[in-house]
Amino acid sequence: MKKISLLWILLILGMVTSSCNKRVSLQSYYVDKMEDASFLVVNVPFKLESFFKQNLSEDEQLTVSSIDKLNLLLFRPKEDQIEKYQKELVVISEILDQERYQHLMNFRAFEKAEGTFLFEGTTQAIEEGIIFLKMGEKGFGVLRILGSDINPASLVTLVKKVDPNLFKQQLKFSFGSIEGLFSDEKKD
């Protein structure tokens, strides 16, 4: 009887410690933030071709067709949310620092925004591309690019070819509620 009790205690202790060691996934972070009014989480409903001013090569068009969907998470803190912003920035940075996400490149975008491009999968076939954009104290955004066998070289070329003005126009057109997101004025 003592052996069975000891076995149950060890089993419960093992389950508790293993569940405490689980790290939050990017997917679960998105799901958790869907109910938080400070965040905007959307499945991007427009065609990727609308982001490019330049013509796409055959490889780039193939890459676009291998992308199944885009998920966008945006957080722009109001003046009274600076502490929350710092906390959320730490949480998202810890998620993206996990070994499962490999660094592909850093870049600059818009005015004073710093970006990082990460991926999950192999260097021959990306399963998930992640673009993390931090706009100083103005907020941050995470774009998940989900698909199968996405060519990483073509994806990097595509990211570099995205026209920021067309991207902003598409966001404003599709989501009027975030119209002021990229402007210098904060809307409360």
Short mmCIF file of all heavy atoms in Angstrom, two decimals, residues 49-102:
data_model
loop_
_atom_site.label_atom_id
_atom_site.label_comp_id
_atom_site.label_asym_id
_atom_site.label_seq_id
_atom_site.Cartn_x
_atom_site.Cartn_y
_atom_site.Cartn_z
N GLU A 49 -0.37 39.18 -52.81
CA GLU A 49 0.12 39.90 -53.98
C GLU A 49 -0.10 41.40 -53.85
O GLU A 49 0.59 42.20 -54.48
CB GLU A 49 -0.56 39.39 -55.26
CG GLU A 49 -0.20 37.98 -55.63
CD GLU A 49 -1.06 36.92 -54.92
OE1 GLU A 49 -2.01 37.27 -54.19
OE2 GLU A 49 -0.77 35.73 -55.10
N SER A 50 -1.04 41.80 -53.00
CA SER A 50 -1.35 43.23 -52.85
C SER A 50 -0.29 43.99 -52.06
O SER A 50 -0.36 45.20 -51.96
CB SER A 50 -2.72 43.39 -52.17
OG SER A 50 -2.69 42.83 -50.88
N PHE A 51 0.70 43.31 -51.51
CA PHE A 51 1.77 43.96 -50.74
C PHE A 51 2.96 44.38 -51.60
O PHE A 51 3.86 45.05 -51.11
CB PHE A 51 2.33 43.03 -49.67
CG PHE A 51 1.38 42.72 -48.56
CD1 PHE A 51 1.47 41.52 -47.90
CD2 PHE A 51 0.41 43.62 -48.15
CE1 PHE A 51 0.63 41.22 -46.85
CE2 PHE A 51 -0.44 43.33 -47.11
CZ PHE A 51 -0.33 42.12 -46.46
N PHE A 52 2.99 43.97 -52.85
CA PHE A 52 4.19 44.16 -53.65
C PHE A 52 3.96 45.13 -54.80
O PHE A 52 3.00 45.00 -55.54
CB PHE A 52 4.67 42.81 -54.21
CG PHE A 52 4.84 41.76 -53.15
CD1 PHE A 52 3.89 40.77 -52.96
CD2 PHE A 52 5.95 41.77 -52.34
CE1 PHE A 52 4.04 39.82 -51.98
CE2 PHE A 52 6.13 40.82 -51.35
CZ PHE A 52 5.16 39.84 -51.17
N LYS A 53 4.88 46.07 -54.93
CA LYS A 53 4.85 46.99 -56.05
C LYS A 53 5.56 46.35 -57.25
O LYS A 53 5.17 46.53 -58.38
CB LYS A 53 5.55 48.29 -55.66
CG LYS A 53 5.21 49.47 -56.53
CD LYS A 53 5.94 50.71 -56.10
CE LYS A 53 5.21 51.42 -54.99
NZ LYS A 53 5.80 52.73 -54.67
N GLN A 54 6.62 45.59 -56.95
CA GLN A 54 7.42 44.94 -58.00
C GLN A 54 6.78 43.63 -58.44
O GLN A 54 6.02 43.02 -57.70
CB GLN A 54 8.82 44.63 -57.47
CG GLN A 54 9.54 45.82 -56.88
CD GLN A 54 10.79 45.39 -56.13
OE1 GLN A 54 11.24 44.27 -56.24
NE2 GLN A 54 11.35 46.31 -55.37
N ASN A 55 7.11 43.21 -59.65
CA ASN A 55 6.65 41.91 -60.12
C ASN A 55 7.40 40.81 -59.39
O ASN A 55 8.57 40.96 -59.03
CB ASN A 55 6.88 41.77 -61.63
CG ASN A 55 5.95 42.67 -62.42
OD1 ASN A 55 4.87 43.02 -61.96
ND2 ASN A 55 6.38 43.05 -63.60
N LEU A 56 6.73 39.69 -59.19
CA LEU A 56 7.34 38.57 -58.48
C LEU A 56 7.88 37.55 -59.47
O LEU A 56 7.26 37.28 -60.51
CB LEU A 56 6.31 37.90 -57.57
CG LEU A 56 5.69 38.78 -56.49
CD1 LEU A 56 4.66 37.99 -55.69
CD2 LEU A 56 6.75 39.35 -55.58
N SER A 57 9.01 36.95 -59.13
CA SER A 57 9.59 35.89 -59.96
C SER A 57 8.74 34.63 -59.81
O SER A 57 7.86 34.55 -58.94
CB SER A 57 11.03 35.60 -59.53
OG SER A 57 11.04 34.96 -58.27
N GLU A 58 9.02 33.63 -60.62
CA GLU A 58 8.29 32.37 -60.55
C GLU A 58 8.48 31.70 -59.19
O GLU A 58 7.52 31.18 -58.60
CB GLU A 58 8.76 31.44 -61.68
CG GLU A 58 7.85 30.27 -61.91
CD GLU A 58 8.26 29.48 -63.14
OE1 GLU A 58 8.48 30.09 -64.21
OE2 GLU A 58 8.36 28.25 -63.01
N ASP A 59 9.72 31.71 -58.66
CA ASP A 59 9.99 31.14 -57.34
C ASP A 59 9.21 31.88 -56.25
O ASP A 59 8.68 31.27 -55.33
CB ASP A 59 11.49 31.18 -57.01
CG ASP A 59 12.29 30.12 -57.72
OD1 ASP A 59 11.67 29.15 -58.24
OD2 ASP A 59 13.53 30.24 -57.76
N GLU A 60 9.18 33.20 -56.36
CA GLU A 60 8.46 34.00 -55.37
C GLU A 60 6.96 33.75 -55.44
O GLU A 60 6.28 33.67 -54.42
CB GLU A 60 8.78 35.48 -55.55
CG GLU A 60 10.22 35.82 -55.22
CD GLU A 60 10.67 37.17 -55.75
OE1 GLU A 60 9.98 37.75 -56.62
OE2 GLU A 60 11.74 37.62 -55.31
N GLN A 61 6.43 33.59 -56.65
CA GLN A 61 5.01 33.27 -56.79
C GLN A 61 4.69 31.89 -56.21
O GLN A 61 3.65 31.71 -55.59
CB GLN A 61 4.60 33.33 -58.27
CG GLN A 61 4.57 34.73 -58.82
CD GLN A 61 4.32 34.77 -60.32
OE1 GLN A 61 4.20 33.75 -60.97
NE2 GLN A 61 4.22 35.97 -60.86
N LEU A 62 5.61 30.95 -56.37
CA LEU A 62 5.45 29.62 -55.79
C LEU A 62 5.46 29.71 -54.26
O LEU A 62 4.67 29.05 -53.58
CB LEU A 62 6.56 28.69 -56.28
CG LEU A 62 6.47 27.23 -55.87
CD1 LEU A 62 5.18 26.60 -56.41
CD2 LEU A 62 7.68 26.46 -56.39
N THR A 63 6.34 30.56 -53.73
CA THR A 63 6.39 30.76 -52.28
C THR A 63 5.08 31.36 -51.78
O THR A 63 4.55 30.91 -50.76
CB THR A 63 7.58 31.67 -51.90
OG1 THR A 63 8.79 31.03 -52.31
CG2 THR A 63 7.62 31.93 -50.42
N VAL A 64 4.56 32.35 -52.48
CA VAL A 64 3.29 32.96 -52.09
C VAL A 64 2.19 31.90 -52.08
O VAL A 64 1.37 31.85 -51.15
CB VAL A 64 2.92 34.14 -53.03
CG1 VAL A 64 1.48 34.57 -52.83
CG2 VAL A 64 3.85 35.31 -52.80
N SER A 65 2.18 31.01 -53.05
CA SER A 65 1.14 29.98 -53.10
C SER A 65 1.32 28.91 -52.01
O SER A 65 0.37 28.21 -51.68
CB SER A 65 1.10 29.32 -54.48
OG SER A 65 2.26 28.56 -54.71
N SER A 66 2.53 28.78 -51.43
CA SER A 66 2.74 27.80 -50.36
C SER A 66 2.37 28.35 -48.98
O SER A 66 2.40 27.63 -48.00
CB SER A 66 4.19 27.31 -50.35
OG SER A 66 5.07 28.34 -49.99
N ILE A 67 1.98 29.61 -48.92
CA ILE A 67 1.56 30.22 -47.66
C ILE A 67 0.06 30.01 -47.50
O ILE A 67 -0.73 30.42 -48.35
CB ILE A 67 1.93 31.72 -47.63
CG1 ILE A 67 3.45 31.87 -47.68
CG2 ILE A 67 1.34 32.39 -46.40
CD1 ILE A 67 3.93 33.29 -47.85
N ASP A 68 -0.31 29.35 -46.40
CA ASP A 68 -1.72 29.03 -46.16
C ASP A 68 -2.48 30.19 -45.51
O ASP A 68 -3.60 30.48 -45.89
CB ASP A 68 -1.85 27.79 -45.28
CG ASP A 68 -1.28 26.56 -45.96
OD1 ASP A 68 -1.34 26.47 -47.21
OD2 ASP A 68 -0.76 25.68 -45.24
N LYS A 69 -1.88 30.80 -44.49
CA LYS A 69 -2.57 31.92 -43.85
C LYS A 69 -1.59 32.78 -43.08
O LYS A 69 -0.46 32.37 -42.78
CB LYS A 69 -3.70 31.44 -42.94
CG LYS A 69 -3.29 30.68 -41.72
CD LYS A 69 -4.52 30.30 -40.92
CE LYS A 69 -4.16 29.49 -39.70
NZ LYS A 69 -5.30 29.18 -38.88
N LEU A 70 -2.04 33.97 -42.78
CA LEU A 70 -1.27 34.94 -41.99
C LEU A 70 -2.07 35.28 -40.75
O LEU A 70 -3.28 35.52 -40.83
CB LEU A 70 -1.02 36.22 -42.79
CG LEU A 70 -0.28 36.10 -44.11
CD1 LEU A 70 -0.24 37.45 -44.81
CD2 LEU A 70 1.14 35.60 -43.89
N ASN A 71 -1.40 35.30 -39.60
CA ASN A 71 -2.01 35.75 -38.35
C ASN A 71 -1.24 36.97 -37.88
O ASN A 71 -0.02 36.94 -37.81
CB ASN A 71 -1.94 34.69 -37.26
CG ASN A 71 -2.67 33.42 -37.62
OD1 ASN A 71 -2.09 32.37 -37.54
ND2 ASN A 71 -3.92 33.51 -38.00
N LEU A 72 -1.96 38.01 -37.53
CA LEU A 72 -1.34 39.25 -37.11
C LEU A 72 -1.78 39.58 -35.69
O LEU A 72 -2.96 39.52 -35.36
CB LEU A 72 -1.77 40.38 -38.06
CG LEU A 72 -1.22 41.77 -37.81
CD1 LEU A 72 0.30 41.81 -37.95
CD2 LEU A 72 -1.85 42.76 -38.77
N LEU A 73 -0.80 39.93 -34.85
CA LEU A 73 -1.06 40.38 -33.48
C LEU A 73 -0.41 41.74 -33.33
O LEU A 73 0.77 41.90 -33.64
CB LEU A 73 -0.48 39.39 -32.48
CG LEU A 73 -0.59 39.77 -31.01
CD1 LEU A 73 -0.94 38.55 -30.18
CD2 LEU A 73 0.71 40.35 -30.51
N LEU A 74 -1.18 42.73 -32.89
CA LEU A 74 -0.67 44.08 -32.71
C LEU A 74 -0.98 44.57 -31.30
O LEU A 74 -2.08 44.34 -30.79
CB LEU A 74 -1.32 45.05 -33.71
CG LEU A 74 -1.08 44.75 -35.18
CD1 LEU A 74 -1.98 45.62 -36.04
CD2 LEU A 74 0.36 44.96 -35.55
N PHE A 75 -0.01 45.25 -30.71
CA PHE A 75 -0.23 45.88 -29.41
C PHE A 75 0.36 47.28 -29.45
O PHE A 75 1.55 47.46 -29.67
CB PHE A 75 0.45 45.07 -28.30
CG PHE A 75 0.29 45.68 -26.92
CD1 PHE A 75 -0.97 45.93 -26.40
CD2 PHE A 75 1.39 45.99 -26.16
CE1 PHE A 75 -1.12 46.48 -25.13
CE2 PHE A 75 1.25 46.55 -24.88
CZ PHE A 75 0.00 46.79 -24.37
N ARG A 76 -0.52 48.26 -29.29
CA ARG A 76 -0.08 49.65 -29.21
C ARG A 76 -0.57 50.20 -27.89
O ARG A 76 -1.77 50.43 -27.70
CB ARG A 76 -0.64 50.47 -30.35
CG ARG A 76 -0.15 51.90 -30.26
CD ARG A 76 -0.27 52.61 -31.55
NE ARG A 76 0.39 53.90 -31.43
CZ ARG A 76 0.20 54.89 -32.23
NH1 ARG A 76 -0.61 54.75 -33.26
NH2 ARG A 76 0.84 56.01 -32.05
N PRO A 77 0.37 50.40 -26.95
CA PRO A 77 -0.05 50.80 -25.61
C PRO A 77 -0.57 52.22 -25.55
O PRO A 77 -0.09 53.11 -26.24
CB PRO A 77 1.24 50.67 -24.79
CG PRO A 77 2.33 50.86 -25.77
CD PRO A 77 1.82 50.30 -27.08
N LYS A 78 -1.58 52.41 -24.71
CA LYS A 78 -2.04 53.76 -24.39
C LYS A 78 -1.09 54.30 -23.33
O LYS A 78 -0.26 53.56 -22.79
CB LYS A 78 -3.47 53.71 -23.88
CG LYS A 78 -4.44 53.23 -24.95
CD LYS A 78 -5.84 53.17 -24.43
CE LYS A 78 -6.76 52.65 -25.53
NZ LYS A 78 -8.09 52.37 -25.06
N GLU A 79 -1.19 55.56 -23.03
CA GLU A 79 -0.25 56.20 -22.09
C GLU A 79 -0.24 55.51 -20.73
O GLU A 79 0.80 55.44 -20.09
CB GLU A 79 -0.57 57.68 -21.96
CG GLU A 79 -0.19 58.45 -23.21
CD GLU A 79 -0.43 59.93 -23.08
OE1 GLU A 79 -0.44 60.43 -21.94
OE2 GLU A 79 -0.60 60.58 -24.12
N ASP A 80 -1.37 54.99 -20.28
CA ASP A 80 -1.43 54.34 -18.97
C ASP A 80 -1.05 52.85 -19.03
O ASP A 80 -1.17 52.15 -18.03
CB ASP A 80 -2.82 54.51 -18.36
CG ASP A 80 -3.92 53.85 -19.17
OD1 ASP A 80 -3.71 53.60 -20.38
OD2 ASP A 80 -5.00 53.61 -18.60
N GLN A 81 -0.57 52.37 -20.16
CA GLN A 81 -0.23 50.95 -20.31
C GLN A 81 1.26 50.70 -20.55
O GLN A 81 1.62 49.64 -21.03
CB GLN A 81 -1.01 50.35 -21.49
CG GLN A 81 -2.49 50.29 -21.29
CD GLN A 81 -3.18 49.70 -22.49
OE1 GLN A 81 -2.89 50.05 -23.63
NE2 GLN A 81 -4.10 48.80 -22.23
N ILE A 82 2.10 51.63 -20.21
CA ILE A 82 3.53 51.47 -20.46
C ILE A 82 4.09 50.27 -19.69
O ILE A 82 4.88 49.49 -20.23
CB ILE A 82 4.30 52.78 -20.11
CG1 ILE A 82 3.80 53.94 -20.97
CG2 ILE A 82 5.80 52.58 -20.25
CD1 ILE A 82 3.89 53.72 -22.47
N GLU A 83 3.66 50.10 -18.44
CA GLU A 83 4.13 48.96 -17.65
C GLU A 83 3.66 47.65 -18.27
O GLU A 83 4.43 46.68 -18.35
CB GLU A 83 3.61 49.08 -16.22
CG GLU A 83 4.25 48.09 -15.27
CD GLU A 83 3.82 48.33 -13.83
OE1 GLU A 83 3.96 49.48 -13.36
OE2 GLU A 83 3.35 47.37 -13.20
N LYS A 84 2.42 47.61 -18.73
CA LYS A 84 1.89 46.41 -19.39
C LYS A 84 2.66 46.13 -20.67
O LYS A 84 2.99 44.99 -21.00
CB LYS A 84 0.40 46.58 -19.70
CG LYS A 84 -0.21 45.39 -20.40
CD LYS A 84 -1.69 45.57 -20.65
CE LYS A 84 -2.26 44.33 -21.29
NZ LYS A 84 -3.72 44.38 -21.41
N TYR A 85 2.97 47.19 -21.41
CA TYR A 85 3.73 47.05 -22.64
C TYR A 85 5.10 46.42 -22.37
O TYR A 85 5.50 45.48 -23.06
CB TYR A 85 3.90 48.42 -23.32
CG TYR A 85 4.88 48.42 -24.47
CD1 TYR A 85 4.57 47.75 -25.65
CD2 TYR A 85 6.10 49.08 -24.39
CE1 TYR A 85 5.45 47.74 -26.71
CE2 TYR A 85 6.98 49.07 -25.45
CZ TYR A 85 6.65 48.40 -26.62
OH TYR A 85 7.52 48.37 -27.67
N GLN A 86 5.79 46.90 -21.35
CA GLN A 86 7.11 46.35 -21.01
C GLN A 86 6.99 44.87 -20.63
O GLN A 86 7.81 44.05 -21.04
CB GLN A 86 7.76 47.14 -19.86
CG GLN A 86 8.07 48.59 -20.21
CD GLN A 86 9.07 48.71 -21.35
OE1 GLN A 86 9.91 47.87 -21.58
NE2 GLN A 86 8.96 49.81 -22.10
N LYS A 87 5.96 44.53 -19.87
CA LYS A 87 5.74 43.14 -19.46
C LYS A 87 5.46 42.25 -20.68
O LYS A 87 6.03 41.17 -20.84
CB LYS A 87 4.57 43.06 -18.48
CG LYS A 87 4.25 41.67 -18.01
CD LYS A 87 3.02 41.67 -17.10
CE LYS A 87 2.55 40.26 -16.91
NZ LYS A 87 1.20 40.02 -17.39
N GLU A 88 4.58 42.71 -21.57
CA GLU A 88 4.22 41.92 -22.76
C GLU A 88 5.42 41.78 -23.70
O GLU A 88 5.60 40.74 -24.34
CB GLU A 88 3.04 42.55 -23.49
CG GLU A 88 1.75 42.51 -22.72
CD GLU A 88 1.22 41.11 -22.42
OE1 GLU A 88 1.59 40.14 -23.12
OE2 GLU A 88 0.44 41.00 -21.46
N LEU A 89 6.25 42.79 -23.76
CA LEU A 89 7.45 42.74 -24.58
C LEU A 89 8.41 41.66 -24.07
O LEU A 89 9.00 40.93 -24.86
CB LEU A 89 8.13 44.11 -24.60
CG LEU A 89 9.07 44.42 -25.74
CD1 LEU A 89 8.43 44.19 -27.09
CD2 LEU A 89 9.55 45.86 -25.63
N VAL A 90 8.52 41.54 -22.76
CA VAL A 90 9.36 40.49 -22.16
C VAL A 90 8.77 39.12 -22.48
O VAL A 90 9.50 38.21 -22.89
CB VAL A 90 9.50 40.69 -20.63
CG1 VAL A 90 10.10 39.46 -19.97
CG2 VAL A 90 10.33 41.93 -20.33
N VAL A 91 7.46 38.96 -22.33
CA VAL A 91 6.81 37.67 -22.58
C VAL A 91 7.00 37.25 -24.04
O VAL A 91 7.41 36.12 -24.32
CB VAL A 91 5.31 37.72 -22.22
CG1 VAL A 91 4.59 36.46 -22.67
CG2 VAL A 91 5.12 37.94 -20.73
N ILE A 92 6.72 38.15 -24.98
CA ILE A 92 6.84 37.78 -26.39
C ILE A 92 8.30 37.52 -26.76
O ILE A 92 8.60 36.62 -27.55
CB ILE A 92 6.17 38.82 -27.32
CG1 ILE A 92 5.96 38.25 -28.74
CG2 ILE A 92 6.96 40.10 -27.41
CD1 ILE A 92 4.91 37.22 -28.84
N SER A 93 9.22 38.26 -26.17
CA SER A 93 10.65 38.04 -26.44
C SER A 93 11.09 36.67 -25.94
O SER A 93 11.86 35.97 -26.61
CB SER A 93 11.50 39.13 -25.80
OG SER A 93 11.23 40.37 -26.40
N GLU A 94 10.60 36.26 -24.76
CA GLU A 94 10.93 34.93 -24.23
C GLU A 94 10.38 33.83 -25.14
O GLU A 94 11.04 32.82 -25.36
CB GLU A 94 10.39 34.77 -22.81
CG GLU A 94 11.18 35.56 -21.78
CD GLU A 94 10.57 35.49 -20.39
OE1 GLU A 94 9.47 34.90 -20.20
OE2 GLU A 94 11.21 36.05 -19.46
N ILE A 95 9.18 34.02 -25.65
CA ILE A 95 8.60 33.03 -26.56
C ILE A 95 9.46 32.91 -27.81
O ILE A 95 9.81 31.82 -28.25
CB ILE A 95 7.15 33.39 -26.93
CG1 ILE A 95 6.24 33.26 -25.71
CG2 ILE A 95 6.64 32.52 -28.07
CD1 ILE A 95 4.85 33.83 -25.90
N LEU A 96 9.82 34.04 -28.39
CA LEU A 96 10.58 34.02 -29.64
C LEU A 96 12.04 33.61 -29.45
O LEU A 96 12.71 33.27 -30.42
CB LEU A 96 10.50 35.39 -30.33
CG LEU A 96 9.08 35.80 -30.75
CD1 LEU A 96 9.07 37.19 -31.34
CD2 LEU A 96 8.47 34.78 -31.70
N ASP A 97 12.53 33.62 -28.21
CA ASP A 97 13.90 33.17 -27.92
C ASP A 97 14.00 31.65 -27.75
O ASP A 97 15.09 31.13 -27.56
CB ASP A 97 14.44 33.86 -26.65
CG ASP A 97 14.85 35.29 -26.90
OD1 ASP A 97 15.04 35.67 -28.08
OD2 ASP A 97 14.98 36.05 -25.91
N GLN A 98 12.87 30.95 -27.82
CA GLN A 98 12.90 29.50 -27.68
C GLN A 98 13.72 28.87 -28.81
O GLN A 98 13.78 29.41 -29.93
CB GLN A 98 11.48 28.92 -27.71
CG GLN A 98 10.64 29.34 -26.52
CD GLN A 98 9.24 28.78 -26.61
OE1 GLN A 98 9.03 27.64 -27.02
NE2 GLN A 98 8.27 29.59 -26.23
N GLU A 99 14.32 27.72 -28.52
CA GLU A 99 15.17 27.03 -29.50
C GLU A 99 14.43 26.65 -30.77
O GLU A 99 15.03 26.55 -31.83
CB GLU A 99 15.77 25.78 -28.88
CG GLU A 99 16.89 26.06 -27.91
CD GLU A 99 17.51 24.79 -27.37
OE1 GLU A 99 17.52 23.76 -28.08
OE2 GLU A 99 17.98 24.82 -26.23
N ARG A 100 13.13 26.45 -30.68
CA ARG A 100 12.36 26.02 -31.84
C ARG A 100 12.36 27.06 -32.96
O ARG A 100 12.13 26.75 -34.12
CB ARG A 100 10.95 25.65 -31.44
CG ARG A 100 10.14 26.85 -30.97
CD ARG A 100 8.85 26.51 -30.31
NE ARG A 100 7.88 26.03 -31.26
CZ ARG A 100 6.64 25.72 -30.95
NH1 ARG A 100 6.23 25.85 -29.72
NH2 ARG A 100 5.81 25.31 -31.86
N TYR A 101 12.56 28.35 -32.60
CA TYR A 101 12.56 29.42 -33.59
C TYR A 101 14.00 29.79 -33.95
O TYR A 101 14.79 30.13 -33.10
CB TYR A 101 11.82 30.65 -33.06
CG TYR A 101 10.39 30.34 -32.69
CD1 TYR A 101 9.95 30.47 -31.38
CD2 TYR A 101 9.47 29.90 -33.64
CE1 TYR A 101 8.64 30.19 -31.04
CE2 TYR A 101 8.17 29.61 -33.31
CZ TYR A 101 7.76 29.75 -32.00
OH TYR A 101 6.46 29.46 -31.66
N GLN A 102 14.29 29.73 -35.23
CA GLN A 102 15.63 30.04 -35.71
C GLN A 102 15.64 31.45 -36.31
O GLN A 102 14.71 31.84 -37.00
CB GLN A 102 16.04 29.02 -36.78
CG GLN A 102 16.07 27.59 -36.25
CD GLN A 102 16.38 26.61 -37.34
OE1 GLN A 102 17.38 26.76 -38.03
NE2 GLN A 102 15.52 25.62 -37.52
#
